[in-house]
Amino acid sequence: MPVEKKLSYYINESKKLNDSDFEKQIRIAVLGSFTLNGLAETIKVKCAELNVFSHTFSGGYNQYNEEILDPKSKLYSFSPEICFLVLDTKDILENLFYSPYSISDDERKKFIENKTIELANLIKFFVDKSQSKLIVTNFVPPTYSPYGIFESKTNYGLQEMIYDLNHKLLQEFKNNPLVYVFDFNGFVTTLGQNNIFDYRQYYFGDVRVSLEKIPYLANAFMSYVKPILGLSRKCIVLDLDNILWGGIIGEDGLNGIKLGHNDPIGKSFIEFQKYLLALHERGIILAVNSKNNFDDAIKVIKEHPNMILHEEHFACLKINWNDKVTNLREIAQEVNIGLDSMVFFDDDRMNRDFVRSTLPEVLTVEMPEDPSLYVPTLIGLNDFNVTKITEEDKQRGKMYLDQRRRTEFQKTTTDFKEYLKQLGIKVIIKNANEFTIPRISQLTLKTNQFNLTTKRYQEEDIRKFVEDQNKIVECAQIQDKFGDNGITSVYIINKENEQEWFIDTFLLSCRVIGRGVEEALLSQIIKKAKKEGVKKVKAQYIKTKKNKPAENFLSDFGFVRDSDTWIFETEKPVKKLEHMEIS
């Protein structure tokens, strides 16, 4: 976990922020059953560091019940998009915290059942009224028990009550896209209860997370803010020497580098690779950016018996003598992602400083000198979170390996049309349903380059659209002879009237841009409109810093501009793409 600045810094910096200085904005509320001074201000500053202005609301001291149950409260007039509800074990257990055995074990079970229902109803009431995302903390099992060591022999004892409550809370909201349970117990365990709880501050002002640790809690909460805003990162770029193994391969040779189970330093690198592989398996892209002789470095990757990561795990391998900035730019271009999707690991301070100053969009991690600290450094990053891990995420590593093969195959022909024809592209159009809605939402939140309007929609938004008879929500799965790209395209259409449709959202993942898929999908939309008697299909291109690849798409297709709207008369012919199959 990275070392945080003092709370006073965040409080002072929050006063300097002005919403007019930021393009992106969000509304975040903080409610709690105890004093949480400075938490909202720290979140505000951390959002500003991401170029997002956060309007914040701090609930009154232990007033969360009243604020949630009163539809006319300031909480609802604030209209949050994200709400954090921070609760404490003492408050939920009331007098039973100190005297749990004053009632029978059956009564204790009934008490927990009632508390679960009470808390669940409160949460459901809030999300129904506000449509805000709610992140509620779970409860820290007390280390104290009046029964001492006999606690573990007691039927449904104090600690078991809290474990049961946490389990019930997690199960209650596991499938609710608006509610997340934050592992507050895990947070306290990581930092240590004696560091989190200060009796002096508790007696002084009912402070149960010490003021020194409030910035750490805010940082943990940013794990939810980043993916909800679509600001998660998806690519880790790695140096090789002293990052994936100890030593310098060009000097130490295959047998001289440190990468083994019998050496503490070598074990550090093996463990680091295991964590990287775990991230890769859930959808994080891995790439290499190393100053090295290619043959020397690739030999380690291919042949060293203790390598965990192999060639097939990397979407791109830049092993050459170019500078790190040049390589990062080429990786972004070849993998077709933005620089702001990248996290860079390099042991050389000069390289890190060069990348930070030249490519500030890339998150360059300050690496410790001791490789045994690499794993906690990686775990401490909260930039890879997503609100839902889809099947496409799990298959992303293979998809990017397939993309590497496509690129290599393309180099074998100078005729691009012939290359597309030989790919054997299949476009499978699907309706939005329970299986595809999470992926559709994810694409609207993450896709920047080929995205006509960059409108962001949460899962609950997409569900509402699907229920609306005047909207069409569809997505497309793209396949070819090298593999399955998964669901990589989305469009949302508003049926404005019997004569006109308006394309609200039209986007493609960077993985499939430039193969004609975009033209094929737009052709399908227009054919469908024509079949239903629609005369005009309208669209907009809303320019952003990142969606330039979509800038000329509408005009090139044949749309005619009218003020800020583009119009296509359905009587006009549409492009035919013979190199792909659409179903």
Side-chain angles (χ1 to χ4, degrees), residues 22-23 78 81 97 114 120 154 187 230 264 315 324 372 462 476-477 566 582:
F22 297 85
E23 186 178 329
F78 174 73
E81 296 167 71
F97 182 83
N114 290 338
T154 306
F187 172 78
K324 297 299 176 84
S372 69
I462 303 297
Q477 181 177 352
W566 292 84
I582 301 174

Side-chain angles (χ1 to χ4, degrees), residues 235-348:
C235 180
I236 295 176
V237 183
L238 300 148
D239 187 20
L240 294 176
D241 293 332
N242 293 313
I243 288 292
L244 291 189
W245 56 72
I248 300 171
I249 184 59
E251 297 176 4
D252 301 317
L254 185 67
N255 296 322
I257 60 172
K258 294 183 181 296
L259 189 65
H261 296 280
N262 299 321
D263 171 53
I265 295 176
K267 286 175 70 175
S268 299
F269 292 105
I270 290 174
E271 195 75 0
F272 185 53
Q273 288 195 39
K274 286 179 178 178
Y275 275 83
L276 288 166
L277 179 60
L279 287 174
H280 169 79
E281 288 172 345
R282 57 133 283 199
I284 301 301
I285 307 163
L286 301 181
V288 169
N289 181 1
S290 172
K291 281 190 176 184
N292 249 312
N293 287 323
F294 181 85
D295 292 343
D296 292 339
I298 203 68
K299 189 172 184 179
V300 182
I301 294 171
K302 286 183 174 181
E303 299 181 16
H304 199 290
N306 295 324
M307 275 294 292
I308 305 298
L309 298 172
H310 299 286
E311 193 175 3
E312 65 268 21
H313 296 127
F314 298 105
C316 187
L317 292 158
K318 290 292 173 185
I319 305 172
N320 52 41
W321 293 103
N322 295 337
D323 66 80
K324 297 299 176 84
V325 166
T326 298
N327 278 346
L328 280 167
R329 285 181 172 139
E330 289 183 2
I331 291 168
Q333 187 173 11
E334 287 185 27
V335 181
N336 213 351
I337 58 174
L339 289 165
D340 58 355
S341 293
M342 292 179 165
V343 178
F344 180 50
F345 288 83
D346 196 301
D347 67 301
D348 188 286

